[in-house]
Amino acid sequence: MHFIRVFQAGTLNAFADFAATYTVRTWTFAWLGRIIAQVVFFTLIGTLLGSPEQQRFLLVGAAVMAIVGEVLFACASSTWERRAGTLPLLVASPGSLLAVFAGRSIQWVPSSLATSSVCLLCVGPLFGVTWSVPSALLLVVVLFVTAATTYCFALVPGAAVLNAMDLRNIVANVIGALITAFCGAVVPVSFWPSWIGWAVNALPVTHGLRAVRELASGGFDVLPHLGYAVLTAAIWLVVAGWLLRRLAERGRRDGTIEFGD
Amino acid sequence: MRTLLIGCWYQLLVLRRSPADLMALFVVPVNTTVFLAIMQHADRPDLAGHAVLAPGLMALWAISLVTCGELIDAERWGGTLEALVAVPARMLPLLTGRIVVVVTASLFAFVESYFVALVFFDVSISVPHLGVFVVSMLATGLAMACWAGVMASVFVLARSARIFQNALGFPFFVLGGVIVPVSYLPDWLRPLTNVVFLSWSSDLLRDALNPAPVQDFGFRLLVLLLLALAGGGLGAYLLSAVLRRVRSLGTLTYA
């Protein structure tokens, strides 16, 4: 119960931050426009290849990768909390650090859900990715699970960069690019050596993407994929909690809670 | 000239202490992997040149947008803009020197993508028209530096420059044809793509990798240089207008 109360307080912080960053107009024209351009950019590579099938494959992959790129902003927004100087108070309080940081960057989940939904449901049909009403409804649910579980993963690099805040954007961008390369967004996972296939199975987004591709191909068998996404996300959440506890313990020991960078 | 060189030297010192300013260089190897994987999976080795050039052009644009775009604003946040405006040295050459260093450093992205292709994909990119390639690359760097000056000035007036930095990447990668030539875009976009210098750069650089003779090289280079000139002129005008505005409004610093 206490965990949930602290988490809710963190979410209030997150949405206040979001409202301070974006207006409806800048989110729609600047951010959503940028994401649509990103998806079109990858989709056009399919056009260059002269393959409508590749075009559809790349569009779906790029739209799901928009979620990854956005929830990885958790790396930056976690450091904003530390930059605000609140970490000593958070460490001194009885509340869980994981609850604080899990709430603190939650704004990226609904935002990425909205951008990826628009890309798949509105831009998709322009390039031959079509949806029936039931599949469109289920798609939104699948995208939500994908965004939420990928967010659990993003909390891990978010916690890790609290010790090296200048690296926050580098870490987020490199991880985002690696996921785009290897988790089946641009080429099937089977294109890569088998050990890469094993490694990316540990990422929730790999399973979320499979679920979206299942829906895009007219199937509805998404539950196993979502199950794996939730399972892997739970593991990443535990890792994030451990990293944050370690940050606090180390900070107490060597006096780096206030100035850890 | 001395102010310009001081700007260069100062920016070199800044870059040494803040590698995050060249963040896009860290992503270049992975982007090269992404694009080459797509081409190899589709069995299109003829498009390897597109895959190798694109990450370089994207990094060049991204670094200019983020790092050069924030040059003036960073001085403002640091409280040093007042002093810079008050000293007798002119701001434009100082800023130009700093931008030249950032743009030159970001050209390293092309070297990175070349070696990633060679080492990890066993793809060797040959340059049949080396002269065209080198001249086009220099002209691209010049154009980027000129347009980076425009961004540096505009971002001073923006409520949140970060929003625009995030927004101006991929739309320009599409309109600039960094991987897919603009000839694949709808005709109604042609007036827009024609004024985006990246579209001329990327076409020229790709043609330099193609064994076929490069068509209309002189004319296309001239257009690229004219667009660079337009960016330089606009940047210089905006810089003086922005400085005049923040001086008269008393907003040289945020305090």
Side-chain angles (χ1 to χ4, degrees):
Chain A
M1 213 46 206
H2 188 241
F3 186 96
I4 293 172
R5 241 185 43 234
V6 176
F7 174 78
Q8 280 173 340
T11 60
L12 290 178
N13 212 345
F15 288 114
D17 234 2
F18 195 73
T21 309
Y22 289 111
T23 61
V24 173
R25 205 168 51 180
T26 56
W27 186 89
T28 307
F29 291 105
W31 182 245
L32 178 61
R34 183 262 198 198
I35 293 294
I36 289 173
Q38 182 175 338
V39 171
V40 169
F41 173 83
F42 278 98
T43 308
L44 284 174
I45 299 177
T47 314
L48 175 69
L49 296 171
S51 160
E53 189 192 339
Q54 286 277 353
Q55 203 171 276
R56 289 193 293 271
F57 185 89
L58 288 165
L59 185 143
V60 171
V64 176
M65 286 310 106
I67 292 177
V68 175
E70 194 160 359
V71 295
L72 277 169
F73 282 159
C75 289
S77 47
S78 296
T79 63
W80 298 344
E81 189 64 36
R82 188 163 201 186
R83 288 246 158 97
T86 55
L87 199 57
L89 297 172
L90 293 172
V91 170
S93 76
S96 153
L97 271 184
L98 179 63
V100 174
F101 281 94
R104 178 65 183 80
S105 301
I106 200 82
Q107 70 271 37
W108 310 122
V109 173
S111 179
S112 64
L113 172 64
T115 48
S116 58
S117 300
V118 169
C119 289
L120 285 167
L121 294 172
C122 302
V123 181
L126 302 177
F127 292 94
V129 180
T130 52
W131 312 90
S132 62
V133 173
S135 69
L137 292 173
L138 194 53
L139 175 72
V140 177
V141 176
V142 167
L143 289 175
F144 170 73
V145 174
T146 306
T149 54
T150 307
Y151 174 66
C152 293
F153 163 75
L155 290 174
V156 173
V161 296
L162 285 174
N163 272 323
M165 292 194 286
D166 281 347
L167 297 179
R168 64 192 182 282
N169 291 328
I170 292 177
V171 168
N173 279 291
V174 171
I175 290 177
L178 285 170
I179 290 176
T180 303
F182 299 120
C183 81
V186 291
V187 289
V189 175
S190 57
F191 175 82
W192 302 106
S194 56
W195 64 268
I196 290 182
W198 281 101
V200 296
N201 271 333
L203 299 172
V205 71
T206 308
H207 305 287
L209 177 56
R210 281 182 189 140
V212 175
R213 290 206 190 282
E214 169 74 14
L215 285 175
S217 65
F220 284 91
D221 190 18
V222 296
L223 262 183
H225 302 304
L226 296 188
Y228 281 121
V230 171
L231 186 70
T232 49
I235 296 168
W236 287 112
L237 205 55
V238 171
V239 176
W242 176 76
L243 279 175
L244 287 167
R245 270 199 311 279
R246 201 166 149 261
L247 171 84
E249 283 162 12
R250 209 185 104 191
R252 277 197 203 100
R253 200 167 54 237
D254 58 16
T256 56
I257 288 175
E258 184 82 54
F259 304 107
D261 204 8
Chain B
M1 191 64 191
R2 191 163 164 261
T3 315
L4 188 136
L5 290 175
I6 289 171
C8 291
W9 178 243
Y10 174 67
Q11 191 59 36
L12 277 173
L13 294 177
V14 171
L15 283 184
R16 215 180 57 154
R17 295 285 301 170
S18 53
D21 285 350
L22 298 175
M23 182 174 64
L25 292 184
F26 292 86
V27 188
V28 167
V30 194
N31 279 343
T32 311
T33 304
V34 166
F35 297 138
L36 276 171
I38 294 173
M39 303 314 178
Q40 285 204 348
H41 178 252
D43 200 18
R44 292 293 301 271
D46 56 308
L47 296 175
H50 290 60
V52 172
L53 280 175
L57 288 165
M58 289 165 75
L60 184 68
W61 178 265
I63 290 172
S64 301
L65 194 63
V66 174
T67 305
C68 298
E70 286 180 356
L71 288 181
I72 302 176
D73 219 27
E75 298 293 344
R76 203 178 180 200
W77 275 105
T80 48
L81 189 59
E82 272 179 326
L84 277 175
V85 169
V87 294
R90 286 174 57 227
M91 181 81 147
L92 185 62
L94 187 77
L95 189 69
T96 306
R98 296 185 65 183
I99 288 173
V100 164
V101 168
V102 175
V103 170
T104 307
S106 60
L107 290 176
F108 180 70
F110 292 95
V111 181
E112 273 184 280
S113 55
Y114 174 83
F115 279 105
V116 168
L118 189 64
V119 174
F120 294 106
F121 288 85
D122 200 20
V123 170
S124 175
I125 301 293
S126 58
V127 189
H129 304 287
L130 187 61
V132 171
F133 187 84
V134 171
V135 171
S136 304
M137 187 63 80
L138 290 174
T140 300
L142 176 71
M144 192 68 257
C146 291
W147 283 95
V150 175
M151 296 173 204
S153 302
V154 169
F155 288 170
V156 175
L157 301 178
R159 176 184 171 218
S160 171
R162 193 49 62 91
I163 290 175
F164 290 98
Q165 286 169 336
N166 280 333
L168 292 179
F170 277 95
F172 278 87
F173 298 156
V174 173
L175 294 174
V178 298
I179 189 160
V180 179
V182 291
S183 56
Y184 283 81
L185 299 179
D187 285 342
W188 56 267
L189 278 174
R190 200 53 58 85
L192 259 179
T193 59
N194 279 344
V195 292
V196 175
F197 80 86
L198 269 180
S199 67
W200 298 89
S201 298
S202 53
D203 274 348
L204 275 173
L205 291 168
R206 273 193 295 268
D207 282 359
L209 303 185
N210 196 332
V214 179
Q215 303 289 327
D216 301 326
F217 173 64
F219 169 73
R220 291 156 71 190
L221 182 68
L222 181 68
V223 174
L224 178 54
L225 291 173
L226 284 174
L227 287 171
L229 195 67
L234 185 62
Y237 167 76
L238 282 174
L239 179 65
S240 80
V242 163
L243 287 180
R244 202 168 44 244
R245 182 182 158 86
V246 291
R247 265 184 186 143
S248 60
L249 292 177
T251 53
L252 267 170
T253 58
Y254 282 108

